[in-house]
Amino acid sequence: MRYGPAVRRRKLGAELRRQRELTGMTSREAAGAVGWHQSKVSRIETGSSGVKPSDVARLLDAYRVSDPELRALLGALCGAGSADAAGARRGWWYAYRDRLPAAYLDFISLESEASMARTLETTVVPGLLQTAAYARAVTRAALGDPPEQRVAELVQVRLARQSVLRGEKPLELCAVLDEAVLRHEVGGPEVMAEQLRHLLRTGSLPHVRLHVLPFSRANHIGITGPFVIFSFPRIADLDVVVLDHLTSSLYLERKEDLRAYGSAFTTLRAHALSHENSLDFIAGIAGIGAGG
């Protein structure tokens, strides 16, 4: 975990290997070019070993990669902490590294560097769209009876994650929500009413698209359970599917898995309401006008 969560290390290693192969260099030749042992290059490429930002820069220099956006992305994947448009440094979760599960750190780091997220939710509002009160209720329900300090910390992390939706180049979020997500009164009527209003406000952002699957169309929800697909700028091979379970998360990176879940998401979105009709649907449940 020293230089970035495991999934991110594997993604970074795979792209560094691809860049090396584009030059025609062997791993032995690459190691010689930067003065390392071949085993270090191999460990980096398989993701079994962390890599410092300075080492990534040395490899990219050896591979003659001059594209500044590509270099910035790969630097960010190793934990370099790229600056966003608002001047804030990504990698804020580093302060929580000793208090959050490794799988959650993986998820946050991928979410922070992705350019797009496609998500299916069947029971709860996606974390990026939750209010503080809703997040608090969900956290308490998930953990049973945790100490209040622990709840506050996890809610703080969840709200901090939402910074990816702000800034000059925000995350593009497309969410398919089963109607049950909107009907479950998480935290009670008042908390849920505010959550629905928050969905309407956030849904008005140009980079957020919401698609509701009404109960009348929910026969297609059985295709799969909840999942998130993260995509990264310009490098399709970095895409990853995340499946959440009760005690862990599963990360799928094979091309066939990405195709299958990408196809499932496209099917579900096609059977869901349009973004505009979804906002009207949410407003109807909330008992307010879509502009309210």
Side-chain angles (χ1 to χ4, degrees):
M1 294 294 295
R2 186 178 178 190
Y3 297 117
V7 173
R8 199 167 55 163
R9 289 202 309 266
R10 290 198 299 272
K11 291 296 187 183
L12 173 63
E15 181 59 22
L16 288 173
R17 181 176 64 248
R18 192 177 78 88
Q19 292 298 325
R20 172 180 61 76
E21 291 172 346
L22 288 174
T23 69
M25 298 173 68
T26 65
S27 58
R28 183 181 297 277
E29 290 169 338
V34 294
W36 298 342
H37 193 279
Q38 181 183 3
S39 62
K40 179 173 180 176
V41 174
S42 297
R43 289 196 302 271
I44 290 172
E45 291 185 352
T46 59
S48 59
S49 174
V51 54
K52 295 181 289 187
S54 58
D55 286 345
V56 170
R58 290 178 67 182
L59 288 172
L60 294 178
D61 288 342
Y63 304 155
R64 298 181 180 179
V65 176
S66 58
D67 186 327
E69 291 187 11
L70 177 57
R71 292 180 70 103
L73 172 61
L74 297 183
L77 284 176
C78 73
S82 59
D84 64 19
R89 289 179 66 81
R90 292 182 175 180
W92 54 266
W93 61 88
Y94 187 76
Y96 297 92
R97 66 193 181 282
D98 297 326
R99 303 194 295 277
L100 295 177
Y104 194 25
L105 285 172
D106 270 342
F107 185 90
I108 294 172
S109 64
L110 290 169
E111 181 180 74
S112 294
E113 300 303 336
S115 58
M116 176 185 295
R118 289 167 286 169
T119 182
L120 166 69
E121 284 292 350
T122 59
T123 56
V124 298
V125 171
L128 292 181
L129 303 176
Q130 293 179 6
T131 65
Y134 185 98
R136 193 172 295 112
V138 168
T139 301
R140 286 200 183 103
L143 298 183
D145 187 24
E148 186 57 35
Q149 182 178 355
R150 179 60 173 166
V151 173
E153 183 177 69
L154 291 173
V155 170
Q156 182 181 20
V157 169
R158 181 151 301 184
L159 297 180
R161 282 173 47 201
Q162 297 175 6
S163 63
V164 298
L165 295 179
R166 302 187 293 271
E168 202 169 289
K169 292 184 178 180
L171 176 77
E172 292 183 30
L173 176 64
C174 184
V176 173
L177 309 176
D178 181 47
E179 184 178 341
V181 171
L182 310 174
R183 298 289 184 183
H184 291 152
E185 287 195 350
V186 175
E190 291 184 6
V191 170
M192 196 62 203
E194 174 55 27
Q195 177 62 68
L196 293 175
R197 289 192 291 269
H198 183 67
L199 280 176
L200 292 174
R201 291 191 295 269
T202 311
S204 68
L205 297 174
H207 51 280
V208 175
R209 310 297 291 178
L210 304 180
H211 298 275
V212 175
L213 259 175
F215 289 144
S216 60
R217 305 183 185 184
N219 55 311
H220 294 280
I221 209 76
I223 292 177
T224 180
F227 64 88
V228 182
I229 305 173
F230 288 124
S231 298
F232 296 82
R234 303 174 49 199
I235 308 176
D237 287 345
L238 292 181
D239 288 6
V240 61
V241 177
V242 186
L243 309 179
D244 270 334
H245 300 287
L246 182 61
T247 58
S248 63
S249 296
L250 177 64
Y251 294 83
L252 305 179
E253 305 169 71
R254 299 185 308 167
K255 290 183 178 180
E256 51 266 42
D257 292 325
L258 291 167
R259 283 195 297 268
Y261 278 89
S263 176
F265 186 84
T266 299
T267 298
L268 290 165
R269 186 174 59 181
H271 286 91
L273 300 176
S274 69
H275 174 68
E276 292 74 15
N277 288 342
S278 293
L279 294 183
D280 289 341
F281 191 91
I282 294 170
I285 294 176
I288 57 178

